[in-house]
Amino acid sequence: MNKKRIGIFTASLDDEYQSTLWSAISHAIAKRGFSSISFLGSVLGSPVASEASSNIAYRLANDQNIDGLIIISSSVATFLNSKDLREYFSAWANIPRVSIGMKLPGMSDVTVDSEPSVSELVQHLYTVHNRRKFAMIDGPPIHDEAINRKQTVFDTLTKLGISIDPRLRVHGRFTLDSGERAMEAILATGLSFDTVICLNDRMAQGALNVLAKHSINVPDDVSVVGFDGIEASRYTQPPLTTVIQPMHNLGTNAVAILERMIDGGAEEHVVLSSSVTYRESCGCAPTFRFDSSITQIPSYATQAEERTINEFAHLLKMKNPKGLIAQLNRAIDTTIAESGVVERWHVYLAVIENLVEAEDEKHRTMISDVIASARVFVGERSSRYQASKRVALQSSFETLRTVSAMLAGTFELEALFANLKQGLALFGITEGYLIEFTQREGSARLLIDLSWESFEKESSTLEFEYAHLLPEVYKPSFHKGRWILMPLVHGSEPLGYLIVPSGMVSPALYAVLQEQISSSLKGTLLLEQIKSHEQTLIEQVALRTKDLIRTNKNLSNEIKRRIELEEEVMEISAKTMERIGQELHDDLAQHLLGISLIAASARKSINSDNGKLDSSLEQISRLLAESITKLKTISRGLLPLEKDEKTFAKRIEALVADTQRYVKIDITVDADPDFEIADGDRALHVFRIIQEALTNAVKHSKSKSVLIKLERNEDEAGQVHLQASIEDNGVGFAKNIRKSALGLRIMRNRASMADAILDIQSSPEGTRVSVRLEE
C-alpha cells in the first residue's frame, strides 16, 4: 500500500498561531511516516493584490498530488464566512478533508469550545479586578470564530449588567499591526475604559505596545487580555492573561481523523476544551510557577505528556525515583519537539506532587526532594532551550541578510540559479525547484532544479501540466518527505512557485524568502523580456533597412529615420537598465548595509541585553520587508498590463492602492462608470502615461494630493470622446527639465501610438497631464 500524502493549507507561517498548528500537524505526519506538501497561500477574499494572487497556491492542490487535505480554516478565512468557505472548498470535495478551528459543511473538523473559558475570563475581570468599563478589539466582521467569541463576551457582560459602548469596539485582522491601529482608534475617542478584551493574542500585543507608548500602565490603569495562548504571550510586558487553545492537540487530532477518512472512515467532528491562564496583564499578581494547588492535568497537555505524568506519579507512589530525572529529560525532549513549551513541566510537576499521597514522613520527604530536584532541572532545561533558540534565530537572521543581499542584485536566470543554490544551501536546503507559469493554460516550466551542478538552459525549458506540480521524471523522489510550496507573485501577477523541503529553524523565514525570491524572479523575467524586445526591434530595423536598399525608394530619408529609431530604442533600453542598476546600488544596497550593521549589533548584545536583541531583530525584520518593497517599487514601472477581465478604472484603482502602500499622499480617482478603452494596445499606452505621471507626482512634485479623472463625453454628432487626466498641487516641473527628457519623450511616443492627444501643463501651482482620444 502506498504511503499517504497529506496536503496542508495555511495562510502564512510568519504568524505564531498558524506556525504552531503547522508544526504540530507536521510532527504528527512525520511520526506516521507520511509525506506532506504545505501550500502557503494567504487569507481568502483579501483586498490586498499580492495576498489575493498568492492564493493560486491552493489551486495547485488536487487528487493527483495529495491523498487528503488539512485546512487551517480559522486563519485562511479571515474575510470569509462558513458559507463562502464551503463554496470555495467544494473544489476539493473528492478528497478527504479536515478543517481546523471552524466547522465547515461536508468535511470533518476539529474545533475548540471557547465559550466557558471566555465567560470565565470576563467574570474574573468583573469580580476579582472590579472592572466595569470594557473596550474590545474585535476580529474580522464575518469571521465565525470571532463572532462566537464576541457573542460570549456580550452575553456574559449582559448578565453582569454591563454593555460596551459601540465606539469602544474596533475590528482588527488578527494581526499585531491591526491591534495597534485599533488601540489608537479607541484612545482617539477620548472615552474612559479600564479593560481591553482582544479576540486574539497578536492584537493584544499590538494593544500593549500602543498603551505603553501613551504611558498608560497595564494593569494599574487598564487590564488587557487575549485569546489563543501563543508562546509570545508569556513574554509580553506585562505577561498576557489569555485563553489557551490546545494547539498541539488540534493538529494531532486533525492528522488522526484524516488518516481514518483516507482509509474509508466517515466524517468526524471533535471539540476540544480551552483553559484560562492568568498572568499580570489583567491585574493578577505574578504566578508562582510551582503552585501546589494545581491538582488536574491541564487540557493543553499532549497524550505523551499525560502518559509521562502518570508514570512519574506511579514511580513516586512505589518509592522508586531512580532514573526519574533521566526520564524527565527525555520527556522534555518530546515536549520541545511537539510544542516547544518547556515551562509547562513546572505545572505538570505540581500535578504529580498532588497525585502522590505520602504514606509517612520519610516518604513525604523523598517526594519533596525529588520534585524540588526536578523543578531545578526543568528550569535549567528551559533556560538552555531559550538560549539555543536565540542563537539559532540570530544565525538565521544573519544568513537571511546574506541571502537577501545575494538575490537583490540578481536579474539573469543563470545568476539567479547560482545565487539561489548558494543562498538556500546556507539554510541547509540543497533540494528544491523553481517553477514558472507559462502562457499556455494549466502549463508551467521548470526553471531551476537545485540539484543541478550548473545551470542547464535546455532543461529549464521543460514544460509540464502544473496539476502534477513537477515534471513526471521527478515524481519518485518528490513523493517522499515533507515539502513547502510557496507561490511567487508580484502584486496581482502570479509568476510561479518554489518547492523546498521543510525544516527551517523559524517557519517565519519562509515568508521572507518567498518575497525576496518573487522580486528576483520578476526582475529576471522582466530583464529577459526587455532584452527579447530589444533584439526583436533591432532585427526589424535591419530587415526594413535591407528592404529599403533593395527598392531604392526614398533611401536616404528612410535609412536616416530608421537609424534614428534604432538609436532611440537603444537609448531607452540603456536608460532603463541604468535606472534599475543605479537605484539598486544607491538605494537597496545601502538599505541592506544598514541591516548588516543592526545584525552585528544584535549579535554583540545577545548575552548581555535581551531587550536590545528583541528591538534589533524587530528592526531587522522591518528593514528586510522595506527592502523587498523597494525592490518591487523599482520594477513596478516596467510591468506589462495584465490581459484579464479588469476594467481600465479598476486597473487605475489598483495602481493607486499599490502606490499608497509606500507614499503618504492623498490620491483620488474620479472615474466615469462608462469609461473604457476597448482596444487593448491603446489602453496599455494610456495606462502607462498615467502611471509615469503618477510616479513623477509622488516622487518629485512635493504634492499633498493627486486627482485622477477618467471622463467619457459624447458630442452633438454622437462622437464619443475619452479623456484621462492626472493633476497634482505640487511645485511643477523644474526649470531644467527639457522637452526632450526621456520620460516626456516616452509619454509623447505612447500618445502617438495610441492615436491620442497629449497635453501637459505645469506651473509652480501644480502639473496637469491629460490624454484625449476618440472611441
Side-chain angles (χ1 to χ4, degrees):
M1 181 178 179
N2 291 331
K3 288 187 177 180
K4 299 173 178 64
R5 192 167 206 214
I6 310 301
I8 306 169
F9 281 2
T10 183
S12 174
L13 289 180
D14 59 359
D15 169 83
E16 190 176 341
Y17 169 79
Q18 294 181 78
S19 64
T20 302
L21 274 176
W22 176 79
S23 295
I25 294 167
S26 298
H27 183 76
I29 288 172
K31 283 183 68 174
R32 286 169 167 77
F34 301 160
S35 62
S36 66
I37 311 175
S38 298
F39 298 85
L40 306 190
S42 188
V43 289
L44 297 174
S46 172
V48 179
S50 59
E51 291 182 353
S53 58
S54 291
N55 292 330
I56 186 67
Y58 302 140
R59 293 298 181 184
L60 295 172
N62 57 73
D63 58 2
Q64 297 183 57
N65 51 54
I66 57 174
D67 301 309
L69 179 62
I70 295 176
I71 306 163
I72 305 180
S73 305
S74 50
S75 296
V76 170
T78 301
F79 297 104
L80 299 182
N81 57 29
S82 57
K83 181 181 178 181
D84 297 326
L85 287 173
R86 178 180 60 184
E87 181 178 347
Y88 182 85
F89 289 120
S90 63
W92 295 272
N94 61 331
I95 302 174
R97 299 163 297 166
V98 179
S99 168
I100 294 180
M102 295 180 67
K103 296 179 182 292
L104 298 179
M107 67 178 76
S108 296
D109 54 70
V110 188
T111 58
V112 174
D113 181 11
S114 62
E115 182 176 344
S117 297
V118 172
S119 181
E120 174 191 330
L121 179 54
V122 173
Q123 292 182 68
H124 172 85
L125 292 164
Y126 179 87
T127 59
V128 177
H129 302 297
N130 199 33
R131 299 307 191 189
R132 297 295 184 270
K133 300 177 181 178
F134 287 75
M136 177 186 287
I137 299 182
D138 200 349
I142 62 173
H143 190 280
D144 285 359
E145 270 198 313
I147 292 171
N148 293 337
R149 295 172 196 171
K150 174 186 65 179
Q151 193 58 50
T152 300
V153 172
F154 286 170
D155 291 345
T156 306
L157 288 176
T158 298
K159 291 177 183 178
L160 298 172
I162 295 176
S163 61
I164 299 180
D165 189 313
R167 291 170 293 178
L168 293 177
R169 183 166 66 88
V170 181
H171 289 287
R173 283 188 55 182
F174 287 149
T175 60
L176 186 147
D177 60 331
S178 71
E180 291 178 335
R181 289 193 297 270
M183 193 69 253
E184 292 282 10
I186 290 172
L187 290 172
T189 65
L191 299 175
S192 175
F193 60 92
D194 58 21
T195 303
V196 182
I197 296 177
C198 305
L199 295 193
N200 89 331
D201 290 345
R202 292 291 284 160
M203 295 192 297
Q205 286 178 281
L208 288 171
N209 292 344
V210 171
L211 291 170
K213 184 179 74 173
H214 288 274
S215 300
I216 298 173
N217 185 275
V218 177
D220 293 348
D221 301 326
V222 176
S223 294
V224 176
V225 298
F227 188 100
D228 279 339
I230 61 176
E231 185 180 8
S233 67
R234 300 169 54 247
Y235 302 109
T236 57
Q237 294 298 324
L240 183 67
T241 293
T242 183
V243 174
I244 295 182
Q245 296 198 72
M247 285 186 273
H248 179 80
N249 290 347
L250 282 168
T252 55
N253 273 275
V255 174
I257 292 171
L258 188 61
E259 180 182 13
R260 291 191 287 270
M261 291 183 68
I262 293 174
D263 290 337
E267 281 185 20
E268 298 182 40
H269 306 281
V270 175
V271 180
L272 305 177
S273 60
S274 58
S275 60
V276 184
T277 289
Y278 296 105
R279 302 189 181 113
E280 289 104 293
S281 72
C282 67
C284 287
T287 302
F288 184 56
R289 61 187 181 184
F290 308 140
D291 189 351
S292 60
S293 65
I294 303 173
T295 58
Q296 293 185 340
I297 298 175
S299 60
Y300 54 74
T302 67
Q303 292 180 348
E305 289 169 341
E306 285 188 31
R307 283 195 304 272
T308 304
I309 291 170
N310 290 320
E311 288 172 3
F312 282 12
H314 177 72
L315 288 173
L316 290 177
K317 284 180 181 178
M318 301 303 294
K319 304 179 184 180
N320 182 26
K322 187 177 180 180
L324 189 144
I325 296 298
Q327 191 171 348
L328 176 60
N329 189 47
R330 291 191 294 272
I332 291 175
D333 287 339
T334 301
T335 295
I336 290 174
E338 292 182 337
S339 66
V341 187
V342 179
E343 289 77 6
R344 61 177 53 174
W345 273 99
H346 290 302
V347 177
Y348 298 161
L349 289 173
V351 174
I352 293 170
E353 190 170 16
N354 283 281
L355 286 175
V356 181
E357 295 182 5
E359 296 179 358
D360 50 46
E361 184 64 29
K362 184 178 180 181
H363 189 192
R364 189 160 39 252
T365 300
M366 182 271 290
I367 293 172
S368 297
D369 289 345
V370 172
I371 293 295
S373 298
R375 286 169 177 163
V376 172
F377 182 75
V378 169
E380 180 185 340
R381 279 299 309 266
S382 178
S383 297
R384 282 162 43 198
Y385 175 59
Q386 293 300 329
S388 67
K389 283 179 63 178
R390 286 194 297 271
V391 171
L393 191 60
Q394 178 204 10
S395 176
S396 294
F397 271 110
E398 290 177 349
T399 301
L400 183 61
R401 174 179 58 83
T402 302
V403 175
S404 297
M406 291 168 61
L407 293 177
T410 301
F411 292 104
E412 292 187 359
L413 196 54
E414 188 168 353
L416 178 62
F417 164 76
N419 290 340
L420 188 61
K421 182 180 178 71
Q422 182 181 352
L424 291 181
L426 296 176
F427 285 108
I429 298 175
T430 57
E431 295 179 273
Y433 312 94
L434 181 62
I435 311 298
E436 178 202 9
F437 294 126
T438 65
Q439 296 296 318
R440 189 165 63 87
E441 181 68 26
S443 178
R445 68 176 177 128
L446 176 68
L447 288 182
I448 291 174
D449 176 355
L450 293 180
S451 68
W452 293 340
E453 290 298 324
S454 59
F455 180 66
E456 299 180 11
K457 187 172 183 179
E458 293 182 359
S459 297
S460 70
T461 62
L462 181 61
E463 284 199 23
F464 61 95
E465 299 298 320
Y466 60 62
H468 300 290
L469 300 183
L470 284 173
E472 190 69 20
V473 67
Y474 290 93
K475 186 174 181 179
S477 58
F478 178 56
H479 278 234
K480 300 175 183 177
R482 293 179 294 152
W483 298 86
I484 302 285
L485 186 149
M486 295 175 278
L488 303 176
V489 303
H490 192 276
S492 60
E493 179 188 8
L495 304 174
Y497 50 95
L498 177 71
I499 300 176
V500 294
S502 64
M504 280 194 173
V505 170
S506 173
L509 294 174
Y510 288 112
V512 182
L513 275 177
Q514 177 184 4
E515 292 278 0
Q516 185 69 71
I517 295 171
S518 292
S519 295
S520 295
L521 178 59
K522 180 58 187 178
T524 299
L525 297 177
L526 182 63
L527 197 60
E528 283 191 342
Q529 185 181 35
I530 291 172
K531 288 181 176 179
S532 175
H533 288 173
E534 178 185 350
Q535 184 62 35
T536 299
L537 287 171
I538 292 173
E539 291 173 357
Q540 289 177 346
V541 169
L543 288 173
R544 180 58 178 153
T545 301
K546 290 179 180 179
D547 289 342
L548 289 171
I549 292 175
R550 283 196 301 267
T551 58
N552 200 26
K553 293 179 180 179
N554 299 319
L555 180 62
S556 179
N557 290 336
E558 281 292 325
I559 289 179
K560 181 179 179 181
R561 189 170 70 85
R562 293 301 171 180
I563 291 174
E564 290 173 349
L565 175 61
E566 181 179 11
E567 291 174 348
E568 183 170 335
V569 168
M570 294 295 290
E571 180 185 356
I572 291 173
S573 177
K575 291 284 187 182
T576 302
M577 305 290 188
E578 180 181 351
R579 190 178 78 180
I580 291 174
Q582 192 67 40
E583 289 197 43
L584 285 174
H585 179 271
D586 293 345
D587 192 346
L588 191 54
Q590 298 305 313
H591 207 70
L592 290 172
L593 177 59
I595 300 175
S596 174
L597 295 175
I598 294 168
S601 174
R603 183 170 63 251
K604 292 178 181 179
S605 64
I606 189 166
N607 292 321
S608 59
D609 190 349
N610 289 339
K612 181 180 179 182
L613 172 63
D614 290 340
S615 174
S616 298
L617 293 181
E618 179 182 355
Q619 192 172 4
I620 289 172
S621 179
R622 188 182 72 251
L623 289 175
L624 282 173
E626 291 176 8
S627 298
I628 294 163
T629 301
K630 287 175 181 291
L631 188 56
K632 289 183 177 180
T633 303
I634 292 168
S635 61
R636 182 178 290 107
L638 301 173
L639 295 175
L641 198 62
E642 308 93 61
K643 294 183 178 179
D644 55 22
E645 71 280 8
K646 291 183 179 178
T647 65
F648 188 88
K650 291 292 185 184
R651 299 179 192 279
I652 294 296
E653 289 171 356
L655 172 65
V656 168
D658 197 34
T659 302
Q660 288 184 315
R661 292 176 65 185
Y662 62 91
V663 297
K664 303 297 182 182
I665 296 179
D666 182 22
I667 307 175
T668 303
V669 178
D670 182 8
D672 189 317
D674 295 326
F675 184 99
E676 189 59 52
I677 303 175
D679 184 88
D681 291 333
R682 298 180 81 192
L684 172 62
H685 292 309
V686 175
F687 178 86
R688 291 304 185 213
I689 292 172
I690 297 298
Q691 185 181 41
E692 179 68 18
L694 179 59
T695 300
N696 291 336
V698 301
K699 281 191 173 183
H700 308 300
S701 74
K702 301 181 182 178
S703 173
K704 294 184 178 179
S705 65
V706 176
L707 172 63
I708 300 175
K709 297 185 70 174
L710 305 177
E711 301 171 275
R712 182 182 186 277
N713 299 303
E714 186 172 342
D715 60 21
E716 295 180 356
Q719 179 64 52
V720 174
H721 302 276
L722 301 177
Q723 180 165 287
S725 63
I726 174 169
E727 185 173 0
D728 66 61
N729 60 356
V731 297
F733 287 166
K735 292 182 179 180
N736 60 352
I737 294 293
R738 299 177 290 109
K739 289 185 178 180
S740 59
L742 179 61
L744 298 180
R745 287 164 54 196
I746 292 174
M747 291 168 69
R748 284 195 294 270
N749 287 343
R750 287 194 178 279
S752 176
M753 288 185 282
D755 193 20
I757 300 173
L758 175 69
D759 181 55
I760 302 176
Q761 301 292 331
S762 184
S763 72
E765 286 72 42
T767 300
R768 183 177 187 273
V769 176
S770 67
V771 187
R772 181 180 175 86
L773 64 163
E774 293 183 353
E775 193 173 61

